[in-house]
């Protein structure tokens, strides 16, 4: 895992509108980068909707949110449309960015082994360094957990 204080890896990925999103687009701002396994599945929908519901609170704190999965752009577009998601969902079909963030690798489900995205989240500070790491996240309540942590450490995390 990347650690607090590490430089957050740069990325350049297409979002649900097939527009390029880069980590460096958020220089000088705080950014939540969350990795999720699959659009339109129960846990991923719960997590995305929670981030979307909390978007005004993130906006009030000057915090941007980007979700990354290995879904193709077309799947992300329908996912965002179905749930009126108002933040970037990025397509990392080959898992290259997720790998840079230690969030891609071998998984097992229903007796099958395959490569996929791990549910991890990083808070990247205005200076491009990792401020917080959340591993093996539980979707329900995760957005609120990040907001609470940001509130708790607001003087420490102030830009």
């Amino acid at each position: 895992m990347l650690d607090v204080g590490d430089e957050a890896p740069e990325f350049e990925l297409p979002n649900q509108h097939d527009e390029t999103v880069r980590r460096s687009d958020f220089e000088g701002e705080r950014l939540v980068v969350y990795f999720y396994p699959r659009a339109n599945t129960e846990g991923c929908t719960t997590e995305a909707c929670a981030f979307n519901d909390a978007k005004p609170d993130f906006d009030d704190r000057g915090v941007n949110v980007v979700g990354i999965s290995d879904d193709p752009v077309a799947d992300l577009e329908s996912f965002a449309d179905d749930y009126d998601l108002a933040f970037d969902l990025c397509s990392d079909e080959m898992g290259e960015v997720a790998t840079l963030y230690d969030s891609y690798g071998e998984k097992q489900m229903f007796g099958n082994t395959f490569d996929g995205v791990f549910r991890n989240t990083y808070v990247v500070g205005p200076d491009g360094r990792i401020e917080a790491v959340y591993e093996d996240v539980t979707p329900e309540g995760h957005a609120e957990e990040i907001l609470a942590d940001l509130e708790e450490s607001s003087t420490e995390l102030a830009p």
Side-chain angles (χ1 to χ4, degrees), residues 21-139:
V21 175
R22 297 170 190 81
R23 186 200 51 83
S24 57
D25 293 342
F26 302 97
E27 292 271 328
E29 302 175 64
R30 193 157 281 115
L31 175 65
V32 172
V33 180
Y34 83 94
F35 293 88
Y36 63 99
R38 185 73 50 224
N40 277 317
T41 58
E42 184 178 348
C44 295
T45 300
T46 296
E47 188 174 24
C49 288
F51 274 113
N52 201 58
D53 291 347
K55 188 172 183 322
D57 295 321
F58 282 105
D59 289 346
D60 287 348
R61 291 167 177 78
V63 178
N64 301 284
V65 175
V66 171
I68 300 176
S69 74
D70 59 359
D71 292 303
V73 169
D75 289 357
L76 297 179
E77 181 180 27
S78 64
F79 183 45
D81 287 347
D82 288 350
Y83 296 97
D84 295 320
L85 302 177
F87 57 89
D88 289 313
L89 298 175
C90 293
S91 174
D92 181 25
E93 286 191 75
M94 303 308 294
E96 293 167 348
V97 171
T99 298
L100 291 174
Y101 280 81
D102 299 322
S103 297
Y104 191 85
E106 191 173 280
K107 298 171 74 168
Q108 289 193 330
M109 186 184 307
F110 307 120
N112 297 316
T113 301
F114 59 96
D115 286 339
V117 177
F118 304 135
R119 195 181 302 278
N120 296 328
T121 301
Y122 297 88
V123 177
V124 180
D127 62 355
R129 298 204 168 273
I130 304 292
E131 291 183 337
V133 177
Y134 301 83
E135 255 185 293
D136 195 23
V137 170
T138 300

Side-chain angles (χ1 to χ4, degrees), residues 30 149-159:
R30 193 157 281 115
D149 289 350
L150 287 169
E151 187 68 31
E152 193 172 291
S153 58
S154 61
T155 53
E156 180 183 322
L157 296 179

